[in-house]
Amino acid sequence: GEDVEQSLFLSVREGDSSVINCTYTDSSSTYLYWYKQEPGAGLQLLTYIFSNMDMKQDQRLTVLLNKKDKHLSLRIADTQTGDSAIYFCAETSLSSSASKIIFGSGTRLSIRP
Amino acid sequence: DAGVIQSPRHEVTEMGQEVTLRCKPISGHDYLFWYRQTMMRGLELLIYFNNNVPIDDSGMPEDRFSAKMPNASFSTLKIQPSEPRDSAVYFCASSLWQGGSGEQFFGPGTRLTVL
């Protein structure tokens, strides 16, 4: 079945760039997402990329998609303390039931002063 | 819109008791999802509905768990009887699939503690 994998933890210094990586198995993925979960809250969509794109930039966020390697990354420039959260990589595809999203285990991003 | 609404936000109960979690999806959304999140297992999809009809309940852990969606604006997740290992945060999410990105909107979650 479909699977999404990502590392569990990442620690970066404030002001540096954070890069969170993700791999997925479904070659028919149509949308790939990054969700953010702050403490005590639900997941919130941060950004998404359509599978026919290889890059998307939105202010401090850059998403890179390597469809050949099934690799997705999220770069956060100038990381701030407010970026501390769990980041979930996710995908949906036409091969799965419509609207079902497969989530990774989440990467906990911590910021060092 | 107020977003996805879940109640209660916190629930503490004793083992063996029945627990009912409630969810109101965003108006107009045609999909509703129930997830469970724990440190050990991460985020697990329990069940999801399309137009009030259960589509996939393969993630429901046991017969003790049941979910209903009597109408487009309300869903419940029931655990009977509850056990300590059911302690988790339960999220409800909704989405509108047609013509969009399939984004799921999550509620704030219900933190369940079973003693």
Side-chain angles (χ1 to χ4, degrees):
Chain A
E2 306 95 344
D3 194 21
V4 176
E5 293 192 356
Q6 51 185 129
S7 55
L8 293 180
F9 301 99
L10 177 66
S11 176
V12 299
R13 194 180 303 274
E14 187 176 2
D16 287 352
S17 292
S18 305
V19 179
I20 304 172
N21 295 299
C22 164
T23 57
Y24 59 96
T25 58
D26 193 340
S27 57
S28 61
S29 294
T30 50
Y31 288 99
L32 295 116
Y33 311 88
W34 285 104
Y35 279 79
K36 178 182 181 182
Q37 184 183 28
E38 296 183 350
L43 281 68
Q44 188 169 18
L45 183 68
L46 200 56
T47 186
Y48 70 91
I49 188 167
F50 191 55
S51 59
N52 67 355
M53 300 167 63
D54 52 21
M55 186 179 106
K56 181 177 181 181
Q57 189 152 3
D58 183 4
Q59 299 183 331
R60 293 190 299 122
L61 305 179
T62 303
V63 178
L64 295 178
L65 174 61
N66 181 328
K67 204 171 178 183
K68 173 176 169 290
D69 295 337
K70 300 189 185 68
H71 182 267
L72 184 74
S73 69
L74 173 70
R75 178 176 180 269
I76 305 173
D78 187 24
T79 309
Q80 303 298 308
T81 54
D83 296 323
S84 293
I86 302 175
Y87 291 82
F88 290 87
C89 174
E91 64 93 13
T92 192
S93 72
L94 296 176
S95 66
S96 66
S97 300
S99 196
K100 179 178 176 179
I101 295 179
I102 308 299
F103 286 89
S105 55
T107 298
R108 185 179 296 274
L109 176 64
S110 62
I111 314 302
R112 307 190 303 273
Chain B
D1 200 319
V4 176
I5 298 172
Q6 291 186 247
S7 65
R9 291 295 312 277
H10 302 273
E11 176 81 29
V12 180
T13 190
E14 292 188 345
M15 182 174 64
Q17 296 298 305
E18 178 179 293
V19 174
T20 299
L21 311 181
R22 297 173 176 80
C23 174
K24 177 177 167 38
I26 292 173
S27 177
H29 281 189
D30 54 355
Y31 280 86
L32 183 139
F33 305 81
W34 282 100
Y35 291 89
R36 177 172 71 175
Q37 186 178 36
T38 61
M39 289 291 290
M40 292 297 293
R41 295 186 173 182
L43 191 68
E44 302 173 275
L45 175 64
L46 301 177
I47 185 172
Y48 74 97
F49 296 82
N50 176 221
N51 292 324
N52 314 338
V53 176
I55 302 300
D56 184 353
D57 65 354
S58 59
M60 296 286 261
E62 298 170 34
D63 291 346
R64 298 185 295 108
F65 286 69
S66 63
K68 293 183 180 179
M69 192 165 185
N71 58 62
S73 59
F74 184 64
S75 176
T76 59
L77 178 67
K78 189 173 292 188
I79 308 172
Q80 166 63 14
S82 58
E83 296 182 3
R85 59 192 167 121
D86 302 331
S87 298
V89 181
Y90 290 81
F91 290 104
C92 176
S94 69
S95 72
L96 178 63
W97 178 245
Q98 295 299 327
S101 68
E103 175 187 359
Q104 291 183 14
F105 293 81
F106 282 74
T110 295
R111 182 174 294 276
L112 173 64
T113 302
V114 183
L115 303 173

